[in-house]
Amino acid sequence: MLRQSLMTEPDERGYFGRFGGRFVPESLIPALDELTEAFYRLRNQQKFQEELADYNRHYGGRPSPLYFAKRLTEYAGGARIFLKREDLIHGGAHKFNNAMGQGLLTKYLGKKRIIAETGAGQHGTATAMIGALLGIETVIYMGEKDIERQQPNVQRMRLMGADVVPVKTGSRTLKDAVNEALRDWVRNVETTHYLIGSVVGPHPFPLMVRHFQSVIGQEVKHDFLEYFGELPDLVMACVGGGSNAAGSFHPFIEDTKVKLLGVEAGGKGDQANSRSITCGSQGILHGSMSYLLQNEEGQVKEAHSVSAGLDYPGVGPELAYWNETGRVDFTYAADKEALDAMRLLSRLEGIIPALESSHAIARAIDVAKTMDKDERIVVTLSGRGDKDLETIQGKMT
Ligand SMILES: *Cc1c(COP(=O)(O)O)cnc(C)c1O
């Protein structure tokens, strides 16, 4: 019943069912209204679409390949496994798609400055890249502790001309950087766009980020219809905030024969993990109603995962909605399983996946075993693993 009335767009208040909305200071509402209006207008405007498509192709390297992982398929011994190679996009991950789209939108809005928050530095790096490309002043807020832990990304951002501002408040990590970025936005909303990095935050961000990331699923669909004349049986992606998953899944939402499976980070397998959907509960985080990890008093718990990109205590509202309606299933993989999958894919295919993506690979191998040999699975390989070489030192056996 629910499936027939599944929402593929939020309502005018930005809700997907009971998830989404805007839980922000009053002073930001005009900026969010302006952004919503501009986004709805530009996403249908031919000039904007063509310019974005041009950057995606000639600067970003899109379309990314769809690769049949023959040796991985033989290893699993079941369904055929295909990889959607977002690791080959400029910057080495899907984060480009969103930064590019919002960066261009900033230009069309006539704003002179971009701000962003970053935890591990991946989103900050993608934003710095686009700031340089479009010649827009870029300020990245980053917790002091994260700056210490993520030096190579800090150097990349600075090299590309971004101003990396250390945040010294609270736990000096991602959530404090988000607060600082929000404060900046409230002060400078006339001239500044806040480039949020995943399908989270107040409306229209979850919708807008998913829109720019949907290029992933659209390309998969196009390639499948061209090569096989039919759609994949299953599409899988890892879930942090949920942007690569939302972008991979959304074009298939109404194709109910295509199963969709999101893979969260299970951490060490005990309470310390990042499973917002499979372990969390309803609440408000960073401006929208969704699922998050919280204690009985509603205090946000810190997430823990070997992969920095999945280390987020919340998840996008549209994914919470898909979970509740049963359209998308969610599962998880533990740190150790991700590390094993990273090594396996490296050895079998000569592709070093990001630790984030390795969570989806780990589960894909198990799921493939339970499926027929003529069935097909697509796993979104959200990024490359070069950034993780230091993290995995001594963790591989
Ligand atoms: C940031 C990141 C993720 C997690 O973010 P989502 O918004 O859930 O996609 C996953 N993979 C890589 C490579 C990342 O950099």
PDB file of all heavy atoms in Angstrom, residues 92-95 122-123 197-199 213 238-245 308-310 354-357 381-384 387, ligand 1:
ATOM      1  N   GLY A  92      38.642  11.829  -6.617  1.00  0.00           N
ATOM      2  CA  GLY A  92      38.676  10.465  -6.107  1.00  0.00           C
ATOM      3  C   GLY A  92      37.449   9.999  -5.366  1.00  0.00           C
ATOM      4  O   GLY A  92      37.505   8.978  -4.680  1.00  0.00           O
ATOM      5  N   ALA A  93      36.340  10.719  -5.475  1.00  0.00           N
ATOM      6  CA  ALA A  93      35.120  10.280  -4.799  1.00  0.00           C
ATOM      7  C   ALA A  93      33.899  10.979  -5.382  1.00  0.00           C
ATOM      8  O   ALA A  93      34.011  11.952  -6.131  1.00  0.00           O
ATOM      9  CB  ALA A  93      35.210  10.560  -3.303  1.00  0.00           C
ATOM     10  N   HIS A  94      32.730  10.476  -4.989  1.00  0.00           N
ATOM     11  CA  HIS A  94      31.450  11.039  -5.454  1.00  0.00           C
ATOM     12  C   HIS A  94      31.217  12.446  -4.926  1.00  0.00           C
ATOM     13  O   HIS A  94      30.333  13.135  -5.411  1.00  0.00           O
ATOM     14  CB  HIS A  94      30.309  10.140  -4.981  1.00  0.00           C
ATOM     15  CG  HIS A  94      30.076  10.199  -3.505  1.00  0.00           C
ATOM     16  ND1 HIS A  94      30.981   9.703  -2.591  1.00  0.00           N
ATOM     17  CD2 HIS A  94      29.075  10.738  -2.784  1.00  0.00           C
ATOM     18  CE1 HIS A  94      30.526   9.921  -1.379  1.00  0.00           C
ATOM     19  NE2 HIS A  94      29.370  10.546  -1.448  1.00  0.00           N
ATOM     20  N   LYS A  95      31.965  12.889  -3.919  1.00  0.00           N
ATOM     21  CA  LYS A  95      31.712  14.199  -3.315  1.00  0.00           C
ATOM     22  C   LYS A  95      31.805  15.326  -4.345  1.00  0.00           C
ATOM     23  O   LYS A  95      31.183  16.361  -4.197  1.00  0.00           O
ATOM     24  CB  LYS A  95      32.658  14.446  -2.144  1.00  0.00           C
ATOM     25  CG  LYS A  95      32.250  13.623  -0.930  1.00  0.00           C
ATOM     26  CD  LYS A  95      32.875  14.118   0.347  1.00  0.00           C
ATOM     27  CE  LYS A  95      32.231  13.473   1.558  1.00  0.00           C
ATOM     28  NZ  LYS A  95      32.525  12.027   1.676  1.00  0.00           N
ATOM     29  N   GLN A 122      37.387  15.291   3.427  1.00  0.00           N
ATOM     30  CA  GLN A 122      37.019  14.901   2.053  1.00  0.00           C
ATOM     31  C   GLN A 122      36.096  15.935   1.414  1.00  0.00           C
ATOM     32  O   GLN A 122      36.293  16.338   0.278  1.00  0.00           O
ATOM     33  CB  GLN A 122      36.297  13.544   2.071  1.00  0.00           C
ATOM     34  CG  GLN A 122      37.147  12.414   2.576  1.00  0.00           C
ATOM     35  CD  GLN A 122      38.315  12.172   1.692  1.00  0.00           C
ATOM     36  OE1 GLN A 122      39.437  12.524   2.011  1.00  0.00           O
ATOM     37  NE2 GLN A 122      38.062  11.584   0.547  1.00  0.00           N
ATOM     38  N   HIS A 123      35.069  16.333   2.174  1.00  0.00           N
ATOM     39  CA  HIS A 123      34.133  17.315   1.627  1.00  0.00           C
ATOM     40  C   HIS A 123      34.805  18.685   1.502  1.00  0.00           C
ATOM     41  O   HIS A 123      34.573  19.404   0.532  1.00  0.00           O
ATOM     42  CB  HIS A 123      32.876  17.402   2.501  1.00  0.00           C
ATOM     43  CG  HIS A 123      31.962  18.524   2.095  1.00  0.00           C
ATOM     44  ND1 HIS A 123      31.473  18.640   0.809  1.00  0.00           N
ATOM     45  CD2 HIS A 123      31.469  19.585   2.788  1.00  0.00           C
ATOM     46  CE1 HIS A 123      30.714  19.726   0.736  1.00  0.00           C
ATOM     47  NE2 HIS A 123      30.698  20.318   1.908  1.00  0.00           N
ATOM     48  N   GLY A 197      27.652  19.041   2.743  1.00  0.00           N
ATOM     49  CA  GLY A 197      28.333  17.944   2.067  1.00  0.00           C
ATOM     50  C   GLY A 197      27.604  16.634   1.925  1.00  0.00           C
ATOM     51  O   GLY A 197      28.099  15.713   1.290  1.00  0.00           O
ATOM     52  N   SER A 198      26.403  16.504   2.523  1.00  0.00           N
ATOM     53  CA  SER A 198      25.674  15.241   2.341  1.00  0.00           C
ATOM     54  C   SER A 198      24.174  15.544   2.325  1.00  0.00           C
ATOM     55  O   SER A 198      23.778  16.718   2.404  1.00  0.00           O
ATOM     56  CB  SER A 198      26.041  14.244   3.443  1.00  0.00           C
ATOM     57  OG  SER A 198      25.492  12.966   3.145  1.00  0.00           O
ATOM     58  N   VAL A 199      23.352  14.503   2.251  1.00  0.00           N
ATOM     59  CA  VAL A 199      21.900  14.702   2.146  1.00  0.00           C
ATOM     60  C   VAL A 199      21.281  14.996   3.511  1.00  0.00           C
ATOM     61  O   VAL A 199      20.303  14.369   3.915  1.00  0.00           O
ATOM     62  CB  VAL A 199      21.208  13.490   1.482  1.00  0.00           C
ATOM     63  CG1 VAL A 199      21.464  13.483  -0.012  1.00  0.00           C
ATOM     64  CG2 VAL A 199      21.676  12.179   2.118  1.00  0.00           C
ATOM     65  N   GLN A 213      23.656  14.248  -6.754  1.00  0.00           N
ATOM     66  CA  GLN A 213      24.276  12.915  -6.698  1.00  0.00           C
ATOM     67  C   GLN A 213      23.538  11.882  -7.545  1.00  0.00           C
ATOM     68  O   GLN A 213      24.094  10.818  -7.840  1.00  0.00           O
ATOM     69  CB  GLN A 213      24.342  12.409  -5.239  1.00  0.00           C
ATOM     70  CG  GLN A 213      25.305  13.166  -4.338  1.00  0.00           C
ATOM     71  CD  GLN A 213      26.769  12.985  -4.716  1.00  0.00           C
ATOM     72  OE1 GLN A 213      27.115  12.277  -5.674  1.00  0.00           O
ATOM     73  NE2 GLN A 213      27.647  13.620  -3.959  1.00  0.00           N
ATOM     74  N   CYS A 238      27.255   2.287   0.433  1.00  0.00           N
ATOM     75  CA  CYS A 238      27.511   2.536   1.848  1.00  0.00           C
ATOM     76  C   CYS A 238      26.762   3.798   2.277  1.00  0.00           C
ATOM     77  O   CYS A 238      26.438   4.653   1.450  1.00  0.00           O
ATOM     78  CB  CYS A 238      29.016   2.663   2.117  1.00  0.00           C
ATOM     79  SG  CYS A 238      29.798   4.093   1.326  1.00  0.00           S
ATOM     80  N   VAL A 239      26.509   3.910   3.585  1.00  0.00           N
ATOM     81  CA  VAL A 239      25.730   5.025   4.107  1.00  0.00           C
ATOM     82  C   VAL A 239      26.453   5.716   5.264  1.00  0.00           C
ATOM     83  O   VAL A 239      26.686   5.113   6.313  1.00  0.00           O
ATOM     84  CB  VAL A 239      24.353   4.537   4.625  1.00  0.00           C
ATOM     85  CG1 VAL A 239      23.568   5.701   5.235  1.00  0.00           C
ATOM     86  CG2 VAL A 239      23.551   3.887   3.507  1.00  0.00           C
ATOM     87  N   GLY A 240      26.846   6.976   5.015  1.00  0.00           N
ATOM     88  CA  GLY A 240      27.321   7.826   6.115  1.00  0.00           C
ATOM     89  C   GLY A 240      26.182   8.798   6.390  1.00  0.00           C
ATOM     90  O   GLY A 240      25.203   8.467   7.060  1.00  0.00           O
ATOM     91  N   GLY A 241      26.271  10.011   5.810  1.00  0.00           N
ATOM     92  CA  GLY A 241      25.107  10.902   5.803  1.00  0.00           C
ATOM     93  C   GLY A 241      24.067  10.395   4.806  1.00  0.00           C
ATOM     94  O   GLY A 241      22.885  10.653   4.938  1.00  0.00           O
ATOM     95  N   GLY A 242      24.558   9.696   3.782  1.00  0.00           N
ATOM     96  CA  GLY A 242      23.662   9.035   2.845  1.00  0.00           C
ATOM     97  C   GLY A 242      23.655   9.578   1.429  1.00  0.00           C
ATOM     98  O   GLY A 242      22.767   9.239   0.649  1.00  0.00           O
ATOM     99  N   SER A 243      24.653  10.406   1.038  1.00  0.00           N
ATOM    100  CA  SER A 243      24.531  11.041  -0.278  1.00  0.00           C
ATOM    101  C   SER A 243      24.867  10.110  -1.440  1.00  0.00           C
ATOM    102  O   SER A 243      24.187  10.146  -2.470  1.00  0.00           O
ATOM    103  CB  SER A 243      25.361  12.323  -0.348  1.00  0.00           C
ATOM    104  OG  SER A 243      26.738  12.069  -0.345  1.00  0.00           O
ATOM    105  N   ASN A 244      25.885   9.263  -1.312  1.00  0.00           N
ATOM    106  CA  ASN A 244      26.162   8.382  -2.459  1.00  0.00           C
ATOM    107  C   ASN A 244      25.076   7.325  -2.573  1.00  0.00           C
ATOM    108  O   ASN A 244      24.706   6.916  -3.678  1.00  0.00           O
ATOM    109  CB  ASN A 244      27.595   7.825  -2.428  1.00  0.00           C
ATOM    110  CG  ASN A 244      27.781   6.543  -1.630  1.00  0.00           C
ATOM    111  OD1 ASN A 244      27.669   5.452  -2.170  1.00  0.00           O
ATOM    112  ND2 ASN A 244      28.057   6.667  -0.334  1.00  0.00           N
ATOM    113  N   ALA A 245      24.508   6.925  -1.432  1.00  0.00           N
ATOM    114  CA  ALA A 245      23.399   5.959  -1.462  1.00  0.00           C
ATOM    115  C   ALA A 245      22.157   6.605  -2.083  1.00  0.00           C
ATOM    116  O   ALA A 245      21.535   6.031  -2.979  1.00  0.00           O
ATOM    117  CB  ALA A 245      23.098   5.452  -0.048  1.00  0.00           C
ATOM    118  N   ALA A 308      36.478   7.367   8.269  1.00  0.00           N
ATOM    119  CA  ALA A 308      36.095   8.712   8.719  1.00  0.00           C
ATOM    120  C   ALA A 308      34.815   9.185   8.042  1.00  0.00           C
ATOM    121  O   ALA A 308      33.993   9.865   8.646  1.00  0.00           O
ATOM    122  CB  ALA A 308      37.234   9.678   8.438  1.00  0.00           C
ATOM    123  N   GLY A 309      34.606   8.822   6.789  1.00  0.00           N
ATOM    124  CA  GLY A 309      33.454   9.296   6.025  1.00  0.00           C
ATOM    125  C   GLY A 309      32.124   8.730   6.494  1.00  0.00           C
ATOM    126  O   GLY A 309      31.073   9.259   6.160  1.00  0.00           O
ATOM    127  N   LEU A 310      32.167   7.630   7.245  1.00  0.00           N
ATOM    128  CA  LEU A 310      30.908   7.040   7.740  1.00  0.00           C
ATOM    129  C   LEU A 310      30.676   7.392   9.202  1.00  0.00           C
ATOM    130  O   LEU A 310      29.685   6.995   9.809  1.00  0.00           O
ATOM    131  CB  LEU A 310      30.921   5.517   7.568  1.00  0.00           C
ATOM    132  CG  LEU A 310      31.101   4.991   6.149  1.00  0.00           C
ATOM    133  CD1 LEU A 310      30.973   3.470   6.111  1.00  0.00           C
ATOM    134  CD2 LEU A 310      30.114   5.610   5.180  1.00  0.00           C
ATOM    135  N   ALA A 354      37.952   2.958  -1.167  1.00  0.00           N
ATOM    136  CA  ALA A 354      37.916   3.694   0.099  1.00  0.00           C
ATOM    137  C   ALA A 354      37.373   2.764   1.181  1.00  0.00           C
ATOM    138  O   ALA A 354      36.596   1.854   0.897  1.00  0.00           O
ATOM    139  CB  ALA A 354      37.008   4.920  -0.037  1.00  0.00           C
ATOM    140  N   LEU A 355      37.769   3.017   2.422  1.00  0.00           N
ATOM    141  CA  LEU A 355      37.245   2.197   3.522  1.00  0.00           C
ATOM    142  C   LEU A 355      35.723   2.298   3.613  1.00  0.00           C
ATOM    143  O   LEU A 355      35.050   1.325   3.945  1.00  0.00           O
ATOM    144  CB  LEU A 355      37.868   2.655   4.847  1.00  0.00           C
ATOM    145  CG  LEU A 355      39.161   1.941   5.240  1.00  0.00           C
ATOM    146  CD1 LEU A 355      39.773   2.615   6.449  1.00  0.00           C
ATOM    147  CD2 LEU A 355      38.917   0.458   5.509  1.00  0.00           C
ATOM    148  N   GLU A 356      35.182   3.478   3.293  1.00  0.00           N
ATOM    149  CA  GLU A 356      33.728   3.652   3.311  1.00  0.00           C
ATOM    150  C   GLU A 356      33.082   2.654   2.341  1.00  0.00           C
ATOM    151  O   GLU A 356      32.230   1.854   2.724  1.00  0.00           O
ATOM    152  CB  GLU A 356      33.350   5.088   2.895  1.00  0.00           C
ATOM    153  CG  GLU A 356      33.728   6.174   3.887  1.00  0.00           C
ATOM    154  CD  GLU A 356      35.176   6.632   3.761  1.00  0.00           C
ATOM    155  OE1 GLU A 356      35.911   6.072   2.911  1.00  0.00           O
ATOM    156  OE2 GLU A 356      35.582   7.549   4.503  1.00  0.00           O
ATOM    157  N   SER A 357      33.531   2.713   1.090  1.00  0.00           N
ATOM    158  CA  SER A 357      32.981   1.836   0.045  1.00  0.00           C
ATOM    159  C   SER A 357      33.193   0.360   0.375  1.00  0.00           C
ATOM    160  O   SER A 357      32.385  -0.486  -0.018  1.00  0.00           O
ATOM    161  CB  SER A 357      33.644   2.134  -1.298  1.00  0.00           C
ATOM    162  OG  SER A 357      33.974   3.496  -1.439  1.00  0.00           O
ATOM    163  N   LEU A 381      31.024   2.228  -5.827  1.00  0.00           N
ATOM    164  CA  LEU A 381      32.347   2.370  -5.229  1.00  0.00           C
ATOM    165  C   LEU A 381      32.559   3.875  -5.040  1.00  0.00           C
ATOM    166  O   LEU A 381      33.032   4.556  -5.928  1.00  0.00           O
ATOM    167  CB  LEU A 381      33.383   1.774  -6.177  1.00  0.00           C
ATOM    168  CG  LEU A 381      34.712   1.405  -5.564  1.00  0.00           C
ATOM    169  CD1 LEU A 381      34.539   0.226  -4.636  1.00  0.00           C
ATOM    170  CD2 LEU A 381      35.709   1.049  -6.647  1.00  0.00           C
ATOM    171  N   SER A 382      32.183   4.349  -3.852  1.00  0.00           N
ATOM    172  CA  SER A 382      32.058   5.802  -3.647  1.00  0.00           C
ATOM    173  C   SER A 382      33.382   6.559  -3.738  1.00  0.00           C
ATOM    174  O   SER A 382      33.392   7.743  -4.051  1.00  0.00           O
ATOM    175  CB  SER A 382      31.391   6.074  -2.300  1.00  0.00           C
ATOM    176  OG  SER A 382      32.075   5.417  -1.249  1.00  0.00           O
ATOM    177  N   GLY A 383      34.500   5.883  -3.472  1.00  0.00           N
ATOM    178  CA  GLY A 383      35.772   6.595  -3.547  1.00  0.00           C
ATOM    179  C   GLY A 383      36.965   5.657  -3.544  1.00  0.00           C
ATOM    180  O   GLY A 383      36.840   4.453  -3.302  1.00  0.00           O
ATOM    181  N   ARG A 384      38.132   6.221  -3.806  1.00  0.00           N
ATOM    182  CA  ARG A 384      39.357   5.410  -3.841  1.00  0.00           C
ATOM    183  C   ARG A 384      40.022   5.395  -2.464  1.00  0.00           C
ATOM    184  O   ARG A 384      39.818   6.292  -1.653  1.00  0.00           O
ATOM    185  CB  ARG A 384      40.305   5.910  -4.918  1.00  0.00           C
ATOM    186  CG  ARG A 384      40.798   7.308  -4.690  1.00  0.00           C
ATOM    187  CD  ARG A 384      41.884   7.681  -5.702  1.00  0.00           C
ATOM    188  NE  ARG A 384      42.376   9.009  -5.386  1.00  0.00           N
ATOM    189  CZ  ARG A 384      42.476   9.997  -6.266  1.00  0.00           C
ATOM    190  NH1 ARG A 384      42.139   9.813  -7.526  1.00  0.00           N
ATOM    191  NH2 ARG A 384      42.947  11.170  -5.896  1.00  0.00           N
ATOM    192  N   LYS A 387      43.622   7.527   0.283  1.00  0.00           N
ATOM    193  CA  LYS A 387      43.542   8.368   1.473  1.00  0.00           C
ATOM    194  C   LYS A 387      43.571   7.557   2.768  1.00  0.00           C
ATOM    195  O   LYS A 387      43.802   8.108   3.837  1.00  0.00           O
ATOM    196  CB  LYS A 387      42.260   9.195   1.439  1.00  0.00           C
ATOM    197  CG  LYS A 387      41.009   8.328   1.593  1.00  0.00           C
ATOM    198  CD  LYS A 387      39.721   9.125   1.554  1.00  0.00           C
ATOM    199  CE  LYS A 387      38.486   8.246   1.668  1.00  0.00           C
ATOM    200  NZ  LYS A 387      38.412   7.361   2.847  1.00  0.00           N
TER     201      LYS A 387
HETATM  202  C1  LIG B   1      32.133  11.098   2.561  1.00  0.00           C
HETATM  203  C2  LIG B   1      32.210   9.742   1.963  1.00  0.00           C
HETATM  204  C3  LIG B   1      31.197   8.776   2.177  1.00  0.00           C
HETATM  205  C4  LIG B   1      30.020   9.006   3.059  1.00  0.00           C
HETATM  206  O1  LIG B   1      29.170  10.037   2.706  1.00  0.00           O
HETATM  207  P1  LIG B   1      27.720   9.809   2.117  1.00  0.00           P
HETATM  208  O2  LIG B   1      27.083  11.146   2.189  1.00  0.00           O
HETATM  209  O3  LIG B   1      27.008   8.787   2.973  1.00  0.00           O
HETATM  210  O4  LIG B   1      27.877   9.317   0.732  1.00  0.00           O
HETATM  211  C5  LIG B   1      31.320   7.559   1.526  1.00  0.00           C
HETATM  212  N1  LIG B   1      32.370   7.274   0.747  1.00  0.00           N
HETATM  213  C6  LIG B   1      33.369   8.163   0.521  1.00  0.00           C
HETATM  214  C7  LIG B   1      34.506   7.778  -0.361  1.00  0.00           C
HETATM  215  C8  LIG B   1      33.320   9.423   1.130  1.00  0.00           C
HETATM  216  O5  LIG B   1      34.320  10.300   0.900  1.00  0.00           O
END
